[in-house]
Amino acid sequence: MLPDTQRLKLSPDIPAKMVGGIERFLRRLTTDSVGPRRRRWNRDFSSPEAYVASVAPNRERLRRIIGIVDPRPAPRMELVATTDCPSLIARGEGYAVHAVRWPVFEGMHGAGLLLQPDSAPIAHIIALPDADWTPETLVGLDWDAPPGSDFAHRLAASGCQVLVPALIDRDYTWSGNPQIRLTNQPHREFIHRMAFEVGRHLIGYEVRQIEAAIDWFVAGSLGFAETREQWGGHSCPPEAVAGRNARPTVPVSIRDSVGEAAPVGIIGYSEGGLLALYAAALDERIDAAVISGYFRERENLHEEPIYRNVFGLLAEFGDAEIASLVAPRTLIIEACGGPEVPEPKPGPLRHPCAAPGQLVSPPLESVRREFERAQAFYRELGLEERLLLVGRDGDPDSDEALQALLTALCPGAALAADCLSAEMEDLPHAPDVRAEQQLIELRGFSQGLLHRSSRVRDSEFWGTLDTCSLEAYRESTRANRERMWDELIGRLRPAGIPPNPRARLFREDECWIGYHVMLDVWPGVFAYGLLLVPKDLREGERRPVVVCQHGLEGTAQDAVGPSENPAYQSFGGQLADRGFVVFAPQNPYIGGDAFRRLQRLANPLGLTVFSVIVRQHERILEWLSTLPFVDPARIGFYGISYGGVTAMRVPALLEQYALSICSANFNDWALKVASVDEPYSYMFTAEWEMPEWNLAHTYNYAEMAALIAPRPFMVERGHSDGVGVDEIVDREYAKVRRLYVALGIPDRTEIEYFDGAHEIHGVGTFAFLDRHLRWPGS
């Protein structure tokens, strides 16, 4: 029996028990997140002006966590047309409908329909459909549209200028790369995955489209009389000239004389309601907003589609807190049925790798409870009448909601009676061409950020390092280590209860005795692994330890051996045979979507699965250091595959690890996760938990290795390992090698290539352990 341990009562399937315990722990944190949010706010209710100023830091943090950090161009609205195909596609009662687009970022545009009243508009309104509705649906040009969906034309008939942007939809037609693999990811998830890795978000992209449109509203809006006369009233589908090889737009600079004074409103349903809420919270130029079919308690965010996953959201914001950023302006919440969107299904000739997640109609009681929380903020300001709850589970965008919006924007304005929708001109148009072009632009913008991300790291990371001496270097890495822990990994509080070590005999081998070991971390959360103790220990001797970490869907026994997976080569057992003390931890990345769900639970709290893993390893190191036969200064880490993921992150944060070896994993990790041009990219696989918020601009693998330095660091790489290709691995490792040379310690790092695949080689790495843990070997 190990010293100072109690007898462990083994339960079946310890890995599943570990994952279940972590899930319950994260669910508790999620449930309990509402109360602590108030600590992140410093509201001043003494006046509306003081209140707006007091919540400005929260507004900026919300902007940052949805990735709105890029400059936008000067405002401009373009008619989607050529000389023989005008932008005019339909006419309604007192207004015309034009196909338009407007610049948002470099190379990226918003696109949709503009409903221009024949007379000066009484208000500018942005009307946002659900993601599976087209702008034509809101205008009444979609004959299969559901009831209540054609609200844009009623607002236009009431005298408003209405812009209806197109959103990225939930289809999967263009998800993937036809040269590599097509997937069943909804388009929104496809863009989300790559954007998340570069610190951007589809929500942020679409909110920025709204802000760019408001820029144009504020600068002055279009006069269209000359345009219609010039083209003689003829029209054709704007998308007919919006193909890949055409320049389908005509910049317009004609201004009317009243646009600047007209108020700005926004209205959205379901996904459009999400965007309307965020836009109204972030852009104070919006005077009133209607949120339909979206507002509710948000503590089940992890069950919604992954493209709604916002890193750190629930630590500071629920829907009520976001609504509090709209105050003192008018906010109208419409409780109505939302779309029921099931989990993505496999499609023909599609690789099934979409993340689970579904949308359900917001329960009325949940809407009311969240509304009451938001109401408290308006009440404190003495403006309770500016927060309204309308509708009661009926169709979206009711007369009550539309009239409330008009009244808030233009007191006395009347909602036009339900009238005939706009009538199509002589040729229909093709929304799918517009949708494809938008996806192409968003993909191109995100991929451009990915491929330029190293320039940001060069400036913000490498430019901060002091290589004059090892001590100066260590000091210069401290801030980045703290930042990596807080912003990339997510920092949980340290273990809050005693470790209560329990042990039980695992197996006795010729050279060592193995034990099951379990240590408590938090209530219901534990660390577990196999400890191998050499039999030839002398009294009072302290030996080095190698922590041997298994890969994806592996177990501690896989690392020790024997294993059904030949990639492990029983490397833990081999090292124990050589005289090392070995500890093989069980990490929680096992059980398919059961463990991936941990990432979905963790992310909205500003955490990741590695937030837990780091603390588990911290507890393991604490306990190992108490053993009389362990030298606490000589504990090394050796991980394969997903264990290699661990080898890059955990030793970068926990400086007690004396060295780290990354096997079958080292890569340009940002490219590995988010590229749509590399066949080994996670963009084409079911590892939907892999994107890490803004990793590409902060800590790629060379930067993580730099945080391990000046401790020894090694890469083990098989030429045929499908995790990547040698040329890209070598390019990333070259930065590491250059650093160690600059520090005057080139002998502390190396990379070993071998003729093999995704597996332990155990030749150069074993020699590396012998040398740097100062062990003679066998």
Side-chain angles (χ1 to χ4, degrees), residues 303-342:
E303 297 177 355
E304 299 179 35
I306 197 169
Y307 48 78
R308 290 187 172 185
N309 179 38
V310 176
F311 191 74
L313 180 73
L314 296 183
E316 187 166 354
F317 304 99
D319 283 8
E321 284 80 14
I322 297 175
S324 78
L325 292 175
V326 182
R329 293 164 288 139
T330 297
L331 179 61
I332 302 148
I333 305 299
E334 183 174 44
C336 67
E340 301 279 341
V341 179

Side-chain angles (χ1 to χ4, degrees), residues 132 170 186 303 305 307 339-345 355-360:
D132 284 338
R170 302 185 186 100
E303 297 177 355
Y307 48 78
E340 301 279 341
V341 179
E343 293 191 352
K345 298 292 191 295
Q358 58 186 332
L359 291 180
V360 297

Side-chain angles (χ1 to χ4, degrees), residues 119 242 268 368 406 534 556 625:
S119 57
R368 285 173 172 158
L406 282 177
S625 298

Side-chain angles (χ1 to χ4, degrees), residues 177 180 443 447 451 671 674-681 683-684:
N177 182 334
I180 299 172
R443 183 180 66 191
Q447 293 294 305
H451 291 290
L671 208 65
S675 173
V676 295
D677 299 315
E678 303 296 341
Y680 54 81
S681 169
M683 286 296 299
F684 309 110

Side-chain angles (χ1 to χ4, degrees), residues 63-99:
R63 181 178 295 277
R64 189 172 66 249
I65 66 175
I66 60 171
I68 302 182
V69 295
D70 301 287
R72 59 183 184 261
R76 183 177 64 176
M77 189 64 65
E78 301 173 348
L79 300 174
V80 180
T82 65
T83 53
D84 59 349
C85 287
S87 64
L88 181 69
I89 66 167
R91 287 189 178 277
E93 191 171 310
Y95 66 92
V97 182
H98 291 265

